[in-house]
């Protein structure tokens, strides 16, 4: 047994490892994901749009006006309302948050992580930034 996993792939806690597709399915079942127009409407109603795409993609494709840009590796620290490194927008565990990545995969895992911090209204954008742009919604810097 190495790293807590036996030769048959069973962990010490009795669970079997899951692949990324199954993990995505599991985490996505915990919250209602939104489409581009729903995300835009949520932002109009006070939701925080959070762009976690890396700099190269933001430079190449542009930004969603008003979205808070937070690198993925800083997300939890910047959005935890109790954290010492929180963004000024991270005012409450009740804040509606829509996480946006490039195509809607990493954002699902990020939203699940925010749920673990108690940000129970966090969700993500189906299809990510690319779906936003394809829907003809505003983009700046391109």
């Amino acid at each position: 047994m190495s790293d807590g996993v036996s030769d048959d792939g069973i962990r010490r806690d009795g669970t079997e490892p899951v692949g990324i597709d199954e993990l995505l399915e599991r985490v996505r079942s915990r919250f209602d994901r939104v489409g581009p127009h729903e995300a835009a409407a949520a932002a109009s109603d006070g939701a925080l749009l959070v762009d976690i795409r890396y700099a190269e993609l933001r430079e190449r494709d542009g930004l969603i006006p008003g979205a808070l840009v937070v690198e993925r590796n800083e997300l939890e620290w910047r959005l935890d309302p109790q954290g010492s490194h929180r963004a000024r927008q991270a005012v409450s565990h009740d804040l509606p948050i829509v996480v946006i990545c490039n195509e809607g995969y990493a954002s699902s895992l990020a939203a699940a992580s925010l749920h673990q911090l108690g940000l129970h209204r966090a969700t993500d954008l189906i299809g990510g930034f690319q779906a936003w742009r394809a829907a003809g919604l505003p983009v700046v810097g391109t």
Side-chain angles (χ1 to χ4, degrees), residues 26-58:
R26 287 181 186 182
V27 300
R28 287 173 172 170
S29 72
R30 297 180 193 151
F31 49 87
D32 293 323
R33 302 177 76 213
V34 297
H37 293 286
E38 292 170 293
S44 292
D45 290 340
L48 180 61
L49 301 183
V50 180
D51 186 343
I52 64 169
R53 293 174 301 141
Y54 53 89
E56 182 180 320
L57 290 176
R58 295 190 313 265

Side-chain angles (χ1 to χ4, degrees), residues 101-119:
C101 67
N102 194 48
E103 295 181 347
Y105 296 99
S107 57
S108 294
L109 298 175
S113 180
L114 294 178
H115 277 253
Q116 290 180 319
L117 285 176
L119 295 158

Side-chain angles (χ1 to χ4, degrees), residues 9-105:
I10 305 296
R11 294 190 201 118
R12 282 188 197 150
D13 65 3
T15 62
E16 292 186 35
V18 299
I20 188 63
D21 293 331
E22 183 176 342
L23 179 61
L24 276 171
E25 186 177 321
R26 287 181 186 182
V27 300
R28 287 173 172 170
S29 72
R30 297 180 193 151
F31 49 87
D32 293 323
R33 302 177 76 213
V34 297
H37 293 286
E38 292 170 293
S44 292
D45 290 340
L48 180 61
L49 301 183
V50 180
D51 186 343
I52 64 169
R53 293 174 301 141
Y54 53 89
E56 182 180 320
L57 290 176
R58 295 190 313 265
E59 291 167 8
R60 183 189 76 191
D61 294 337
L63 299 167
I64 295 171
L68 175 65
V69 174
V70 178
E71 297 285 338
R72 174 61 189 100
N73 63 328
E74 298 176 357
L75 183 69
E76 292 80 1
W77 284 268
R78 303 289 288 146
L79 293 184
D80 179 1
Q82 299 173 337
S84 59
H85 299 292
R86 73 174 182 84
R88 65 175 173 77
Q89 297 92 331
V91 295
S92 164
H93 283 94
D94 198 40
L95 178 67
I97 298 169
V98 179
V99 183
I100 303 164
C101 67
N102 194 48
E103 295 181 347
Y105 296 99

